[in-house]
Amino acid sequence: MTLTLEPTAEAPALVSQPAEAGAPEVQHHDILLINYSGELEKVWATMLLASTAGAMGLQCKVFVTFWGLQNFVKDSRRITGKNWMQKMMSFMQRPGISHRKLSKMNFLGMGPWMMGQLAKQQKNASPRELLEIAQSMGVEFIPCQMTMDMFGLNPDDLIEGMAEPVGAATVLGLMSEGWSPLFI
Amino acid sequence: MTTLEIAARVDAKGLSCPMPIVKTAQAMKGLASGQLLEVLATDPGSTKDLEAWSKSTGNPLVESSVEGAVFRFVLQKK
């Protein structure tokens, strides 16, 4: 198939132009997502935005804290933690991105199962697939050190390719440098 | 007049957000500057999304059309 291009096709009309001549070009901001929630729908939203940011060539980091860290424990880990309370926590709420529950209409797993079926029908990518895409596109996932300690997680409990754990100061530092934050 | 051939094609028909964008970005990586990429999609949101992607990445969208239920885009690698 061939396409004929006019010599003037350098600036195609279909791409939205700034409203006024001389208006500043779109300024790119780096994106900082904070994944706090371990609920299925919010993890999905996080992974969708992260993978799209990667595809758009934006620099994107995802700080993973509190319940969000449960999404980044390997699916194969059933019980995590060092003491009985930490182990009990993981027993009560199975970690791993494929074992997330809905905040509403969970019905002992019926809700997430139906959500998964609907997503398959619509050919939506699963949170797990989107996570892998985001990682392959250079999105960095950064665990929260404090949460790791609280839940008794070891670095090898987490999926491959996670960044070094950091604390709140690093996250606030990024925000103060102009990274656009979004808390999910 | 310059005649350029489509160098690569992405079939994102039936896929929903954000997969048409993801597949476009992946395919674009393999092209050289100036080469054309054709993207086919059925997601109605893809028209606006590909415009936004083009604007954000700087790869010009040189053609955007609809044939039945299929949206067709041609992007040029910057």
XYZ file of all heavy atoms in Angstrom, chain A residues 47-97:
405
model
N -2.581 0.304 36.744
C -1.805 -0.376 35.710
C -2.148 0.160 34.321
O -1.286 0.243 33.445
C -2.065 -1.886 35.754
C -1.603 -2.528 37.035
S 0.093 -2.053 37.411
C 0.155 -2.502 39.118
N -3.409 0.542 34.147
C -3.833 1.095 32.864
C -3.120 2.428 32.604
O -2.584 2.662 31.519
C -5.349 1.287 32.919
C -6.041 1.273 31.571
C -7.326 0.491 31.657
C -6.300 2.659 31.095
N -3.081 3.267 33.631
C -2.415 4.564 33.473
C -0.904 4.384 33.324
O -0.276 5.061 32.505
C -2.724 5.468 34.670
C -4.178 5.959 34.747
C -4.441 6.641 36.069
C -4.485 6.904 33.594
N -0.339 3.460 34.097
C 1.115 3.246 34.027
C 1.527 2.744 32.646
O 2.494 3.242 32.055
C 1.553 2.268 35.107
N 0.782 1.775 32.107
C 1.161 1.220 30.801
C 0.963 2.273 29.700
O 1.777 2.359 28.775
C 0.369 -0.052 30.497
O -1.007 0.204 30.543
N -0.088 3.078 29.824
C -0.315 4.120 28.816
C 0.768 5.193 28.897
O 1.253 5.660 27.859
C -1.716 4.744 28.979
O -2.679 3.689 28.998
C -2.048 5.683 27.840
N 1.143 5.574 30.112
C 2.233 6.553 30.270
C 3.499 6.041 29.599
O 4.187 6.783 28.892
C 2.482 6.841 31.747
N 3.785 4.750 29.799
C 4.957 4.143 29.160
C 4.844 4.207 27.650
O 5.798 4.576 26.949
N 3.654 3.897 27.129
C 3.440 3.904 25.677
C 3.536 5.317 25.109
O 3.913 5.497 23.957
C 2.075 3.304 25.347
N 3.190 6.309 25.924
C 3.242 7.702 25.453
C 4.639 8.288 25.580
O 4.849 9.463 25.256
C 2.249 8.562 26.225
C 0.814 8.233 25.868
S -0.361 9.229 26.776
C -0.338 10.744 25.843
N 5.557 7.492 26.062
C 6.931 7.965 26.179
C 7.126 8.935 27.326
O 8.128 9.656 27.363
N 6.165 8.972 28.257
C 6.318 9.840 29.425
C 7.147 9.119 30.467
O 7.085 7.896 30.574
C 4.939 10.179 30.021
C 3.953 10.886 29.096
C 2.580 10.941 29.727
C 4.448 12.285 28.773
N 7.890 9.889 31.220
C 8.623 9.259 32.312
C 7.631 9.027 33.443
O 6.929 9.953 33.859
C 9.783 10.136 32.764
C 10.836 9.287 33.448
C 12.005 10.081 33.961
O 12.191 11.237 33.626
N 12.812 9.442 34.794
N 7.551 7.805 33.919
C 6.537 7.469 34.928
C 7.127 6.560 36.000
O 7.823 5.589 35.687
C 5.359 6.784 34.237
S 4.046 6.250 35.347
N 6.890 6.928 37.231
C 7.261 6.086 38.360
C 6.003 5.781 39.150
O 5.098 6.617 39.230
C 8.245 6.809 39.292
C 9.639 7.029 38.702
C 10.505 7.759 39.732
C 11.756 8.345 39.115
N 12.871 7.399 39.027
N 5.940 4.590 39.716
C 4.804 4.213 40.561
C 5.337 3.867 41.943
O 6.101 2.906 42.096
C 4.031 3.007 39.975
C 2.791 2.711 40.823
C 3.639 3.252 38.525
N 4.970 4.681 42.930
C 5.351 4.402 44.314
C 4.279 3.492 44.895
O 3.089 3.801 44.847
C 5.454 5.705 45.109
C 5.855 5.515 46.541
C 7.098 4.984 46.872
C 4.999 5.878 47.576
C 7.482 4.813 48.201
C 5.368 5.716 48.916
C 6.613 5.185 49.217
N 4.711 2.364 45.423
C 3.784 1.336 45.860
C 3.810 1.255 47.373
O 4.851 0.933 47.965
C 4.186 -0.022 45.258
C 3.213 -1.085 45.682
C 4.285 0.061 43.749
N 2.688 1.578 48.002
C 2.687 1.645 49.457
C 1.437 1.011 50.052
O 0.442 0.810 49.360
C 2.848 3.124 49.905
O 2.983 3.168 51.322
C 1.667 3.984 49.485
N 1.518 0.682 51.308
C 0.425 0.099 52.082
C -0.235 -1.073 51.366
O 0.440 -1.987 50.952
C -0.578 1.195 52.497
C -0.868 1.093 53.964
C -0.019 1.667 54.896
C -1.946 0.344 54.412
C -0.268 1.503 56.255
C -2.196 0.186 55.765
C -1.367 0.768 56.677
N -1.547 -1.059 51.181
C -2.210 -2.233 50.571
C -1.734 -2.444 49.142
O -1.829 -3.545 48.618
C -3.731 -2.068 50.588
C -4.301 -1.890 51.956
C -4.971 -0.810 52.421
C -4.224 -2.821 53.059
N -5.311 -0.999 53.735
C -4.875 -2.206 54.159
C -3.676 -4.085 53.230
C -4.985 -2.819 55.400
C -3.783 -4.698 54.470
C -4.431 -4.070 55.531
N -1.239 -1.380 48.518
C -0.756 -1.487 47.144
C 0.376 -2.494 47.004
O 0.527 -3.133 45.962
N 1.157 -2.639 48.072
C 2.298 -3.561 47.995
C 1.846 -5.016 47.798
O 2.578 -5.817 47.231
C 3.162 -3.418 49.259
C 4.643 -3.684 49.051
C 5.229 -2.728 48.035
C 5.405 -3.573 50.352
N 0.613 -5.304 48.253
C 0.063 -6.659 48.078
C -0.032 -7.023 46.591
O 0.033 -8.186 46.233
C -1.352 -6.725 48.679
C -1.422 -6.373 50.154
C -1.044 -7.530 51.048
O -1.347 -8.661 50.721
N -0.379 -7.236 52.132
N -0.188 -5.995 45.739
C -0.315 -6.237 44.300
C 1.002 -6.692 43.683
O 1.007 -7.233 42.582
C -0.747 -4.952 43.563
C -1.919 -4.282 44.222
O -2.776 -4.964 44.759
N -1.954 -2.957 44.196
N 2.091 -6.421 44.375
C 3.413 -6.669 43.791
C 4.122 -7.860 44.421
O 5.264 -8.138 44.119
C 4.257 -5.395 43.873
C 3.678 -4.306 43.009
C 2.683 -3.470 43.484
C 4.072 -4.179 41.691
C 2.106 -2.508 42.672
C 3.500 -3.219 40.875
C 2.519 -2.384 41.361
N 3.394 -8.551 45.325
C 3.917 -9.821 45.841
C 3.663 -10.860 44.756
O 2.646 -10.813 44.056
C 3.201 -10.200 47.165
C 3.598 -11.600 47.626
C 3.520 -9.167 48.245
N 4.633 -11.782 44.581
C 4.469 -12.829 43.559
C 3.148 -13.574 43.790
O 2.809 -13.889 44.934
C 5.626 -13.820 43.645
C 6.940 -13.274 43.141
C 8.087 -14.251 43.421
C 9.404 -13.627 43.020
N 10.531 -14.099 43.837
N 2.443 -13.880 42.699
C 1.174 -14.607 42.803
C 1.349 -15.948 43.522
O 0.422 -16.447 44.146
C 0.621 -14.872 41.391
C -0.176 -13.691 40.849
O -0.645 -12.871 41.663
O -0.310 -13.598 39.614
N 2.542 -16.541 43.393
C 2.769 -17.868 43.950
C 2.957 -17.847 45.470
O 2.871 -18.881 46.121
C 4.000 -18.494 43.294
O 5.106 -17.618 43.459
N 3.222 -16.686 46.064
C 3.410 -16.607 47.517
C 2.046 -16.663 48.202
O 1.192 -15.820 47.946
C 4.096 -15.286 47.906
C 5.558 -15.200 47.531
C 6.418 -15.890 48.573
N 7.818 -15.502 48.447
C 8.689 -15.992 47.559
N 8.301 -16.913 46.702
N 9.920 -15.568 47.532
N 1.856 -17.627 49.062
C 0.579 -17.712 49.761
C 0.666 -16.994 51.110
O -0.150 -16.148 51.425
C 0.165 -19.193 49.943
C -1.167 -19.356 50.647
C -2.291 -18.675 49.848
N -3.528 -18.515 50.616
C -3.833 -17.445 51.333
N -2.976 -16.446 51.449
N -4.979 -17.365 51.960
N 1.650 -17.357 51.922
C 1.822 -16.735 53.235
C 3.128 -15.944 53.222
O 4.172 -16.470 52.842
C 1.861 -17.802 54.356
C 0.568 -18.643 54.358
C 2.104 -17.161 55.723
C -0.697 -17.915 54.754
N 3.045 -14.684 53.625
C 4.253 -13.870 53.731
C 4.350 -13.362 55.172
O 3.381 -13.424 55.928
C 4.212 -12.656 52.781
O 3.035 -11.896 53.057
C 4.203 -13.075 51.326
N 5.510 -12.839 55.528
C 5.691 -12.253 56.854
C 6.606 -13.086 57.720
O 6.869 -14.255 57.438
N 7.084 -12.428 58.766
C 8.060 -13.078 59.638
C 7.428 -13.528 60.947
O 7.745 -14.589 61.466
C 9.230 -12.122 59.894
C 10.006 -11.821 58.592
C 11.126 -10.821 58.777
C 11.911 -10.614 57.494
N 11.270 -9.663 56.557
N 6.516 -12.726 61.506
C 5.889 -13.138 62.765
C 4.441 -13.577 62.523
O 3.914 -13.456 61.413
C 5.985 -12.025 63.819
C 5.250 -10.749 63.395
O 4.148 -10.829 62.834
N 5.849 -9.599 63.656
N 3.797 -14.094 63.564
C 2.464 -14.698 63.364
C 1.429 -13.680 62.901
O 0.532 -14.020 62.131
C 1.996 -15.448 64.609
C 1.626 -14.568 65.786
C 2.436 -14.159 66.783
C 0.336 -14.004 66.052
N 1.760 -13.354 67.656
C 0.457 -13.254 67.247
C -0.915 -14.054 65.425
C -0.606 -12.553 67.797
C -1.974 -13.351 65.992
C -1.830 -12.607 67.162
N 1.549 -12.430 63.348
C 0.558 -11.419 62.940
C 0.683 -11.088 61.457
O -0.315 -10.946 60.745
C 0.704 -10.144 63.782
C -0.094 -10.210 65.066
S -0.194 -8.609 65.873
C 1.464 -8.414 66.469
N 1.956 -10.949 61.002
C 2.182 -10.673 59.575
C 1.689 -11.841 58.726
O 1.085 -11.649 57.663
C 3.671 -10.425 59.320
C 4.182 -9.134 59.957
C 5.699 -9.067 60.022
O 6.385 -10.087 59.954
N 6.222 -7.856 60.172
N 1.942 -13.058 59.219
C 1.499 -14.251 58.475
C -0.026 -14.310 58.426
O -0.615 -14.670 57.410
C 2.070 -15.514 59.131
C 3.555 -15.670 58.875
C 4.130 -16.925 59.483
C 5.580 -17.050 59.048
N 6.455 -17.558 60.076
N -0.642 -13.955 59.566
C -2.107 -13.951 59.661
C -2.699 -12.952 58.655
O -3.711 -13.239 58.012
C -2.496 -13.550 61.086
C -3.912 -13.854 61.436
S -4.133 -15.622 61.600
C -5.728 -15.664 62.359
N -2.042 -11.780 58.537
C -2.520 -10.749 57.603
C -2.544 -11.290 56.175
O -3.515 -11.086 55.446
C -1.609 -9.509 57.637
C -1.634 -8.743 58.921
S -3.125 -7.760 59.094
C -2.647 -6.289 58.232
N -1.464 -11.976 55.784
C -1.415 -12.492 54.412
C -2.385 -13.665 54.247
O -2.920 -13.885 53.158
C 0.003 -12.915 54.034
O 0.414 -14.031 54.787
N -2.636 -14.399 55.356
C -3.603 -15.494 55.289
C -5.005 -14.948 55.037
O -5.766 -15.465 54.221
C -3.580 -16.298 56.597
C -4.647 -17.353 56.671
C -4.542 -18.518 55.916
C -5.769 -17.180 57.475
C -5.541 -19.482 55.967
C -6.772 -18.138 57.525
C -6.649 -19.297 56.770
N -5.325 -13.827 55.728
C -6.669 -13.245 55.611
C -6.875 -12.567 54.267
O -7.988 -12.492 53.770
C -6.917 -12.248 56.749
C -7.043 -12.938 58.095
S -7.587 -11.831 59.402
C -6.194 -10.767 59.620
N -5.786 -12.015 53.714
C -5.916 -11.357 52.412
C -4.781 -11.829 51.519
O -3.642 -11.397 51.654
C -5.873 -9.839 52.572
C -6.375 -9.154 51.336
C -6.189 -7.660 51.397
O -5.094 -7.172 51.616
N -7.254 -6.928 51.194
N -5.110 -12.751 50.630
C -4.080 -13.367 49.795
C -3.383 -12.327 48.925
O -4.038 -11.605 48.174
C -4.717 -14.448 48.921
C -3.683 -15.174 48.102
C -4.233 -16.374 47.391
N -3.105 -17.025 46.747
C -3.161 -18.192 46.140
N -4.298 -18.847 46.088
N -2.101 -18.710 45.576
N -2.034 -12.249 49.019
C -1.329 -11.270 48.172
C -1.242 -11.724 46.702
O -1.609 -12.847 46.382
C 0.065 -11.192 48.808
C 0.239 -12.445 49.579
C -1.111 -13.013 49.876
N -0.732 -10.835 45.851
C -0.558 -11.154 44.427
C -1.576 -10.423 43.562
O -2.737 -10.271 43.946
N -1.126 -9.971 42.401
C -1.985 -9.152 41.536
C -3.168 -9.946 40.975
O -4.208 -9.384 40.650
C -1.163 -8.482 40.403
C -1.948 -7.321 39.780
C -0.726 -9.479 39.346
C -1.121 -6.351 38.996
